Amino acid sequence: MIRIGRGGALLSAAALASVALTGCVSQGCPGWAGYDSPPDAVQAADAVVLGHVEELASTASLFGAPANVWSVEVTEWVKGEGPDTIQVMSPPSRCGPTDDPYFGSDPFEAATAHSASVVLLSEWENGWMGLNPGQGIVELTPSGDIPPEW
């Protein structure tokens, strides 16, 4: 049995943390905040709209990765205010050049099939972006409410 003393364990942990941080910094990847529930995300968002994701409007680059920008028809501004149609960047799950920035499908693309969605927005440069890669959009409940759980 090999035993590592307290100093060796701390040194190993520090080395691993250094490698992990270096990888993150070199790619410029953010540490996205996660939210326990849609109501928690509503509180954290800069703005929140109810509406329908219409179509892919364009693409952009976010942290070196390709990002989709979607046209959203707004039926109600729950938090904040703005026009009846907005463009929202769907933040990718990866950073840097990649052929699969969303680890599969873009959640905003999936939302085009929803009759109505809650779009949780963060201000980004001169526009809007989903709150984070996995929690920027959620389908409204059948009664038209913000769901209590993801």
Side-chain angles (χ1 to χ4, degrees), residues 109-130:
E109 181 176 16
T112 60
H114 301 162
S115 60
S117 298
V118 180
V119 187
L120 304 147
L121 302 166
S122 282
E123 289 186 58
W124 179 257
E125 294 180 353
N126 295 323
W128 296 112
M129 174 174 65

Side-chain angles (χ1 to χ4, degrees), residues 5 27 70 81:
Q27 292 181 358
W70 297 89
E81 57 185 42

Side-chain angles (χ1 to χ4, degrees), residues 75-102:
T75 55
E76 180 184 348
W77 284 85
V78 174
K79 184 176 181 180
E81 57 185 42
D84 293 340
T85 302
I86 59 173
Q87 306 256 314
V88 181
M89 180 187 300
S90 177
S93 300
R94 291 187 182 181
C95 295
T98 178
D99 291 333
D100 186 16
Y102 295 100

